[in-house]
Amino acid sequence: MNKKKDGLKEDGESSKVKANDVIPFFQHWNLILGDGSNVGPATDYENQDFFYTASDDDGDWVVFKSPNGGSTHGSSNNTRTELAQLKKWTPMTEAKMNATLKVMNVSATGDARVASTHSVVVGQIHSADGHENEPLKIFYKKFPGHTKGSVFWHYEINTEGEDNSQRWDYSHPVWGYDFSVVGTDENTYPPEPEDGIALNEEFSYEVEIKEGMMHLTFTSEGHETKTFKKNLISSEYAERSEIPEQVRNLFFPIGQDGVERKNAYAGEGLFFKLGTYNQTNGKDPKVNKVWCSGAETHGGDLQKQYADGNYAEVWFKSADITISDEAISNAGYFEANDDLSTKTVYPHEVIPFMDKFKILLGNGTTVEDITAFEHKDFFYTVIDGTRRWVVYKTPNSGITSKNSSNTRTELHEKRDWTPEDGGKLTGTCKVMQVSVSGDARVPAAYSVVIGQIHSGEGHENEPLKIFYKKFPGHSKGSVFWNYEINTAGDDNSDRWDFSTAVWGNDMSVTASSQDGAPAEPVDGIELGEEFSYEINVYDGIMYLTFTSEGHETKTFTKNLVASEYIERSDLPAQTQKLFVPIGQDGTERATAYKGELNYFKQGAYNQTNGKSPETNRVWSAGAETYDGDIAKQYENGCYTEVWFREATVGPGVMPNK
């Protein structure tokens, strides 16, 4: 790098060269900094952390710099030091932006399997209306150890309907690769692109909008000039059959498989953005394998990130925009998005059925009204770059309900119903964490219950518990469901569960040693992999449906009002193996749960506790609890965390025959 100065005199006084001396157009933009703040128009403005001038042998430049981790703007995961145009215009309006720049740094760390890692967006068109999607993002990306990086551009669909979580990008290479070319593992990279652009190598782009068409031109000395055009008012992705193969490979596995509205971005207010929009963040890739990079952020410490290369930096030599007289104020976008990352979004705003539930948190607190409630340790919302999720989190040891050894952050339905009355609960979720400690010989170890039917009368047993379980060292875990008998007689100590595998193993598959593990399930579900369940109880019968992209849909039925376990000879072999040795060998009342009031539960009911396996070889997991210190448990992976993006509750419905 032939960098000479960074906008400061030797005595530390501010440089006389301001950004608007180099590129005299800053009155047309608001400047968003890498700390999330909107500083407004940047005329006569500089900030030595994010936005300043520098010079080298080629002249003066405007520097845009932003770390991997900090505060951001709007609903994005990613920090930016970026200009956002003060006016907006429709695709039928003539508009133009051009720039000459060079990328000086992209993040030195991140998971190479994640498409966005080691990349930065240097120019955009953003919608100010509707879903606020992006019909254009111009990227630069370079893997560590490579001299040359890639320049490519994206078109993000303007998703049909109200649910924008299924949006996706289609990536076009300019020089080098497109977005979809990634490493084979975290630190293994693809071959270096032969026609790529090096750090500190100058290139230019021009974006022109005219009569609904976007025209792109890319130039760089020693490289072929590339031109593209894209229709912004008539979609080529209005049917699923039209979705490109690249998208199917990259976005379908994370559940982003939407179609675009037929008139694309027609009629929406659009505006230009320019600068450094760092695409490498510190979020765990298991959250989102396209956009969450797992990079170093030093806990958000700006100077530590800058010191060891965990930032993006782009220098602009020249830039210009053409603004039509038809353009109008874009103030509404800034009013909606300024400080959005610091605003609280309650779980009820993501899944609007919280008025039908109360919640028990991992610290033993019950909250009756959760419509405007969150708790940052247990129950809150996150955004993963594509959608909002409700997070349920609870340690191995805390304070729990009177009849359980296990902590939970779990919803409790306020309505009671009998199996004859029926009820229905659905959930779309992904398990992000199960305890990393525990005794592998204990069936309950490393598992969490994510949905239940619970009886509120009699023995208060559980006709349904839906589990996820993953052994340490395995990539894939198992989903299974348990039926607990409604024990005949007054002695409930003889109750037992029968476990049925959905994907992977059932509960009875354990290790032969405390730190061992059985074979990894071939058809299992990974942490961070989305799946859905539906519990439908109708006329005394429970109907279960489990779905997940890339996995076989599984369905089950169970009679809740007539038992199949009324004689000891009816006890299944699994029960004989698992529960009879610990003295749990009861039979069930003939009418099972008939006439008993039940209710649904949903969330994270941690099954991995700190009790000694000597007390119960099925349910006492022997896990680390750090004497109940919740912060230490969270720090060391001794907790469970489940995210839900959709869920419904209501009456049971007649199943499709």
Side-chain angles (χ1 to χ4, degrees):
M1 185 189 301
N2 55 351
K3 183 175 177 180
K4 284 187 174 180
K5 65 181 181 182
D6 60 3
L8 287 180
K9 291 183 177 180
E10 291 183 3
D11 61 5
E13 293 179 4
S14 182
S15 169
K16 291 181 180 179
V17 179
K18 302 293 187 184
N20 48 285
D21 295 327
V22 180
I23 305 175
F25 73 167
F26 288 96
Q27 72 273 22
H28 299 301
W29 312 83
N30 274 343
L31 175 65
I32 311 300
L33 298 181
D35 61 6
S37 61
N38 178 355
V39 300
T43 302
D44 295 328
Y45 177 82
E46 68 175 16
N47 181 304
Q48 287 303 308
D49 286 330
F50 305 113
F51 178 76
Y52 51 91
T53 60
S55 65
D56 61 14
D57 294 339
D58 295 322
D60 293 324
W61 302 77
V62 179
V63 179
F64 297 78
K65 189 174 180 181
S66 195
N68 291 352
S71 296
T72 186
H73 183 255
S75 57
S76 173
N77 284 317
N78 305 313
T79 65
R80 69 189 82 202
T81 297
E82 189 179 39
L83 301 173
Q85 192 182 1
L86 290 170
K87 290 191 173 183
K88 63 181 180 178
W89 32 269
T90 73
M92 295 303 294
T93 305
E94 292 191 11
K96 191 174 183 180
M97 175 174 69
N98 55 61
T100 298
L101 68 141
K102 54 187 180 184
V103 179
M104 306 302 288
N105 198 74
V106 291
S107 176
T109 65
D111 191 319
R113 297 167 295 186
V114 175
S116 63
T117 303
H118 311 303
S119 76
V120 58
V121 169
V122 298
Q124 293 188 61
I125 297 174
H126 204 294
S127 175
D129 301 324
H131 297 311
E132 296 187 2
N133 288 349
E134 300 154 324
L136 174 67
K137 286 174 285 190
I138 300 171
F139 284 76
Y140 176 86
K141 175 177 179 176
K142 188 190 76 68
F143 289 97
H146 288 184
T147 300
K148 296 176 182 178
S150 298
V151 176
F152 48 88
W153 67 274
H154 283 202
Y155 176 81
E156 182 178 51
I157 64 166
N158 201 14
T159 321
E160 174 71 18
E162 298 298 321
D163 182 7
N164 193 39
S165 64
Q166 295 178 321
R167 68 192 185 274
W168 45 261
D169 288 18
Y170 183 54
S171 183
H172 303 258
V174 179
W175 302 296
Y177 299 129
D178 64 41
F179 186 66
S180 66
V181 178
V182 296
T184 53
D185 60 42
E186 183 177 354
N187 296 303
T188 302
Y189 313 115
E192 184 168 337
E194 293 182 4
D195 62 335
I197 299 285
L199 289 178
N200 199 27
E201 184 175 0
E202 191 175 305
F203 66 96
S204 300
Y205 62 75
E206 178 182 275
V207 183
E208 183 175 17
I209 309 300
K210 193 172 184 178
E211 296 180 348
M213 298 294 295
M214 177 173 67
H215 302 268
L216 304 175
T217 303
F218 295 88
T219 58
S220 180
E221 176 124 11
H223 297 271
E224 181 184 355
T225 294
K226 299 289 184 74
T227 61
F228 306 86
K229 65 179 181 179
K230 180 75 179 74
N231 194 319
L232 300 183
I233 60 174
S234 179
S235 177
E236 56 187 302
Y237 309 121
E239 303 290 339
R240 279 185 64 85
S241 60
E242 297 169 333
I243 298 176
E245 188 66 23
Q246 177 199 106
V247 173
R248 294 177 183 273
N249 293 336
L250 197 62
F251 286 92
F252 276 29
I254 61 170
Q256 294 179 237
D257 57 358
V259 295
E260 186 170 38
R261 64 175 193 162
K262 291 181 180 179
N263 60 352
Y265 287 88
E268 288 200 1
L270 307 176
F271 61 99
F272 289 123
K273 303 183 85 174
L274 175 150
T276 296
Y277 182 18
N278 191 353
Q279 298 297 291
T280 306
N281 57 52
K283 285 205 166 186
D284 193 324
K286 69 188 179 186
V287 174
N288 185 303
K289 294 181 180 180
V290 174
W291 297 113
C292 294
S293 300
E296 180 61 71
T297 66
H298 296 292
D301 187 305
L302 186 70
Q303 299 309 322
K304 284 185 177 179
Q305 292 178 80
Y306 285 177
D308 61 5
N310 286 295
Y311 64 94
E313 181 177 335
V314 185
W315 292 16
F316 284 80
K317 179 162 66 173
S318 63
D320 188 37
I321 58 170
T322 300
I323 304 171
S324 167
D325 291 338
E326 298 175 28
I328 63 174
S329 172
N330 194 25
Y333 170 80
F334 298 105
E335 290 170 2
N337 286 278
D338 286 352
D339 301 317
L340 187 60
S341 63
T342 64
K343 295 175 182 175
T344 297
V345 178
Y346 292 112
H348 183 66
E349 297 176 68
V350 178
I351 301 178
F353 72 175
M354 299 296 174
D355 59 320
K356 296 178 173 61
F357 292 88
K358 57 185 177 180
I359 193 167
L360 176 63
L361 302 178
N363 62 1
T365 302
T366 296
V367 181
E368 295 286 339
D369 183 359
I370 54 175
T371 56
F373 174 78
E374 67 158 6
H375 192 298
K376 289 301 186 185
D377 287 333
F378 306 112
F379 179 64
Y380 52 94
T381 67
V382 295
I383 187 167
D384 71 356
T386 60
R387 52 169 67 94
R388 285 272 181 187
W389 299 76
V390 176
V391 178
Y392 301 81
K393 186 175 180 181
T394 194
N396 290 354
S397 177
I399 301 173
T400 187
S401 59
K402 62 180 180 179
N403 295 323
S404 175
S405 297
N406 306 313
T407 66
R408 67 187 84 202
T409 295
E410 189 180 37
L411 302 176
H412 180 300
E413 189 184 14
K414 294 178 179 178
R415 179 183 77 104
D416 293 320
W417 42 270
T418 68
E420 302 93 302
D421 296 330
K424 184 178 179 181
L425 177 72
T426 69
T428 297
C429 63
K430 50 187 179 183
V431 179
M432 306 305 291
Q433 176 77 25
V434 291
S435 176
V436 298
S437 69
D439 190 316
R441 298 168 296 183
V442 175
Y446 317 120
S447 74
V448 57
V449 169
I450 59 175
Q452 291 189 63
I453 299 173
H454 204 293
S455 174
E457 295 186 303
H459 298 310
E460 298 186 5
N461 289 347
E462 299 152 326
L464 175 68
K465 288 173 285 189
I466 299 173
F467 286 75
Y468 176 87
K469 175 176 179 175
K470 188 190 77 67
F471 286 90
H474 285 183
S475 295
K476 297 177 180 178
S478 298
V479 176
F480 51 88
W481 64 275
N482 283 16
Y483 175 81
E484 182 177 48
I485 64 166
N486 200 12
T487 321
D490 294 328
D491 182 6
N492 194 39
S493 63
D494 290 340
R495 69 189 185 278
W496 46 263
D497 286 19
F498 180 66
S499 184
T500 302
V502 179
W503 301 296
N505 302 318
D506 62 41
M507 186 182 185
S508 67
V509 178
T510 59
S512 57
S513 64
Q514 181 178 347
D515 297 318
E520 184 167 344
V522 175
D523 62 333
I525 298 285
E526 296 183 6
L527 290 177
E529 184 174 0
E530 187 175 309
F531 62 96
S532 300
Y533 62 76
E534 177 184 282
I535 308 164
N536 181 30
V537 179
Y538 182 81
D539 198 21
I541 308 297
M542 178 173 67
Y543 301 89
L544 302 177
T545 304
F546 295 88
T547 58
S548 181
E549 182 86 25
H551 298 270
E552 182 184 354
T553 295
K554 299 291 185 72
T555 60
F556 307 88
T557 62
K558 181 74 178 78
N559 194 320
L560 300 185
V561 296
S563 176
E564 56 188 303
Y565 307 121
I566 58 176
E567 304 290 343
R568 282 187 58 83
S569 58
D570 298 327
L571 269 64
Q574 179 196 103
T575 300
Q576 299 277 0
K577 168 190 171 183
L578 208 60
F579 286 92
V580 171
I582 61 170
Q584 294 181 235
D585 57 357
T587 57
E588 186 170 38
R589 66 174 193 162
T591 55
Y593 288 88
K594 184 176 182 179
E596 282 198 4
L597 292 176
N598 290 271
Y599 52 89
F600 288 120
K601 304 185 84 174
Q602 186 177 81
Y605 180 19
N606 192 352
Q607 299 297 292
T608 306
N609 56 52
K611 285 196 168 186
S612 171
E614 298 303 318
T615 63
N616 187 306
R617 295 182 182 273
V618 174
W619 298 113
S620 296
E624 178 61 70
T625 66
Y626 296 94
D627 295 322
D629 187 313
I630 291 176
K632 284 187 177 179
Q633 292 177 79
Y634 284 178
E635 182 180 348
N636 291 281
C638 293
Y639 67 95
T640 191
E641 182 175 334
V642 186
W643 294 12
F644 282 82
R645 69 173 176 87
E646 291 179 352
T648 63
V649 69
V653 297
M654 181 181 294
N656 296 322
K657 298 296 185 181

